[in-house]
Amino acid sequence: MKRIDCIVGARPNFVKIAPIMRALRGREDFAVRLIHTGQHYDVAMNAVFFEELGIPDPDVNLEIGSGTHTEQTARIMLALVPVLASPRPDMLIVVGDVNSTLAATLVASKMLIPVAHVEAGLRSNDRAMPEEVNRLVTDRLCALLLTTERSACDNLLREGARPEQIGFVGNVMIDTLHACLARAAPARLTFEEIGAGAMASRAQQGGYGFVTLHRPSNVDDEAQLRGLIETLFDIARDIPLLFAVHPRTKAKIEATGLGSLFEDGLLLATPPLSYLRSLGLMREARLVVTDSGGMQEETTALGVPCLTVRDNTERPITIEEGTNTLVGSSPSALREAVANVLANGGKRGRVPELWDGKAAERIADHVEAFLAFRQPSGA
Ligand code: UD1
């Protein structure tokens, strides 16, 4: 029996870990624990995802909560040491690029526990982005590097990873999307539930756009945030927009007095939405405006045009093959890009290689092979 520990901490991790837990727990030879760092703790950012995605309750919750990046990383590291010491796992699995991913990788590496990274090798080449720092350090330390697209394998090889460490497995986020699409909430129901009846009837005629923004580069600077929100209001005159507001963005909107802009009801703001509501809204949208990594991939899988409000992306396949367009961070470029989609329908794209709903099984195969190879005689 091989012991495997899986780490989750923040919302995008939950979407990735659901199929991985299912695949690993489906194998007889694995004893699998789920460890939650507690980086995200609000019901809307956490519990709702566990429930909708059928993720088993965590075996351990470190409850580290919010703080600066250093505080979060340090608290996770301190709390994780005794958990990994006994019972000691044969392998740790981390996903994505959040602070929990980095902290757990550092601790396990120091304890000589091999780590597998799911979503390895993605690079924005922008070190001002906290996730890029997390990705670089995590991949440097991991024994097994499991990738979503071929460009990620190239990045890893260029940085010195050995070919036998790398497995191109496809995208677990799309496993979750496939598993949930039939249960996704119809957009009309979500509009009704959030009291947006008027918007729903406008949307029925000409469609609607779905918006999320939370990256520090877009929301931490008041002038940038103001420019984007004013532009969204301008766009909402042409097409109704529903804006699911992340806690980080909400705090900034409140701190800078931008909240009063929402009072005319053109641009509708809601708290963070559950996975099934968000998936339903994405599927039916005419366009999505976002700075999320996951939504760039989900819109590509759904064939919905996505306008990414960033200067770079670590997921280039969504641009090359999918429906994603990088519009940069300037509000006027966003305005223009939306006008283009409304005029010509936006990019169509195709679904990338191995985004087929079976990535988690391939991950389990790689983990099994790694552990069999590493400890052939229980050494
Ligand atoms: C984190 C990830 C980011 C991911 C995002 C998804 C890192 C470096 N960043 O950013 O990659 O895209 O999650 O949401 O790990 N907060 C709540 N309730 C919660 C969680 C957070 O109110 O359940 C508040 C915190 O108090 C904080 C803000 O939201 O003020 C940001 O949370 P934090 O986890 O620090 O980073 P995110 O911006 O969410």
Side-chain angles (χ1 to χ4, degrees):
M1 188 63 92
K2 296 282 190 274
R3 290 188 176 280
I4 300 172
D5 284 351
C6 296
I7 297 282
V8 288
R11 187 173 59 176
N13 290 170
F14 308 144
V15 182
K16 291 166 197 162
I17 210 69
I20 297 174
M21 288 300 291
R22 266 196 301 280
L24 294 176
R25 289 213 164 142
R27 311 245 165 158
E28 280 179 359
D29 296 345
F30 292 162
V32 187
R33 276 199 307 183
L34 182 61
I35 301 169
H36 192 331
T37 65
Q39 179 176 341
H40 284 178
Y41 46 82
D42 278 1
V43 171
M45 303 284 288
N46 175 43
V48 166
F49 284 75
F50 274 72
E51 198 185 304
E52 285 189 348
L53 302 179
I55 306 169
D57 285 343
D59 300 284
V60 180
N61 193 327
L62 307 178
E63 295 183 351
I64 61 106
S66 297
T68 64
H69 288 231
T70 305
E71 284 165 347
Q72 279 185 338
T73 308
R75 278 197 232 126
I76 296 167
M77 290 181 71
L78 286 170
L80 199 53
V81 172
V83 176
L84 295 186
S86 174
R88 182 186 165 90
D90 296 294
M91 173 161 247
L92 185 79
I93 298 183
V94 298
V95 297
D97 54 19
V98 303
N99 290 335
S100 301
T101 312
L102 168 71
T105 302
L106 277 170
V107 173
S109 300
K110 296 261 184 183
M111 294 172 79
L112 306 181
I113 297 166
V115 186
H117 184 205
V118 173
E119 208 185 84
L122 297 180
R123 298 287 180 267
S124 64
N125 297 310
D126 173 7
R127 291 206 188 174
M129 199 182 172
E131 293 81 1
E132 181 74 355
V133 176
N134 295 346
R135 288 189 279 257
L136 282 164
V137 180
T138 298
D139 285 340
R140 200 76 187 94
L141 295 176
C142 280
L144 188 54
L145 298 160
L146 302 166
T147 64
T148 51
E149 57 175 280
R150 289 194 185 275
S151 74
C153 306
D154 299 340
N155 292 335
L156 291 165
L157 290 170
R158 204 175 311 118
E159 291 170 12
R162 285 172 286 111
E164 61 272 24
Q165 284 181 274
I166 303 172
F168 172 42
V169 293
N171 194 328
V172 280
M173 214 166 219
I174 308 308
D175 289 14
T176 296
L177 184 143
H178 280 238
C180 293
L181 211 48
R183 289 188 293 134
R188 181 183 45 80
L189 285 187
T190 302
F191 281 127
E192 276 168 21
E193 278 163 17
I194 61 175
M199 180 174 272
S201 33
R202 246 189 100 199
Q204 213 155 26
Q205 282 137 37
Y208 64 89
F210 183 41
V211 181
T212 78
L213 293 169
H214 74 285
R215 296 257 159 242
S217 58
N218 281 326
V219 308
D220 282 6
D221 178 70
E222 181 177 344
Q224 172 67 8
L225 181 60
R226 178 175 291 279
L228 285 174
I229 288 184
E230 285 173 354
T231 301
L232 290 174
F233 274 95
D234 190 26
I235 294 167
R237 285 177 229 288
D238 295 337
I239 180 165
L241 293 180
L242 182 69
F243 183 9
V245 185
H246 187 280
R248 151 188 283 283
T249 312
K250 180 166 180 264
K252 297 293 173 187
I253 288 173
E254 281 167 3
T256 50
L258 286 167
S260 59
L261 281 175
F262 288 82
E263 279 158 18
D264 69 7
L266 263 182
L267 171 64
L268 197 87
T270 75
L273 293 165
S274 80
Y275 181 77
L276 293 177
R277 284 178 173 177
S278 172
L279 182 59
L281 284 169
M282 264 189 283
R283 175 173 58 182
E284 294 178 46
R286 253 177 98 181
L287 62 102
V288 167
V289 174
T290 192
D291 56 11
S292 149
M295 285 171 68
Q296 294 173 53
E297 298 183 333
E298 288 162 338
T299 46
T300 276
L302 292 167
V304 172
C306 178
L307 302 177
T308 296
V309 187
R310 283 176 48 187
D311 295 324
N312 49 54
T313 179
E314 59 288 333
R315 294 160 161 90
I317 203 157
T318 61
I319 309 256
E320 289 150 17
E321 296 187 14
T323 56
N324 192 15
T325 304
L326 212 50
V327 299
S329 42
S330 113
S332 58
L334 173 62
R335 185 74 192 90
E336 201 177 310
V338 171
N340 279 339
V341 174
L342 295 184
N344 64 32
K347 280 171 85 170
R348 296 222 168 272
R350 63 170 186 267
V351 177
E353 186 183 4
L354 297 190
W355 290 22
D356 58 359
K358 296 174 190 148
E361 287 299 333
R362 287 189 282 267
I363 289 170
D365 291 343
H366 275 278
V367 170
E368 211 168 88
F370 179 91
L371 291 175
F373 176 72
R374 207 165 178 271
Q375 293 159 321
S377 53

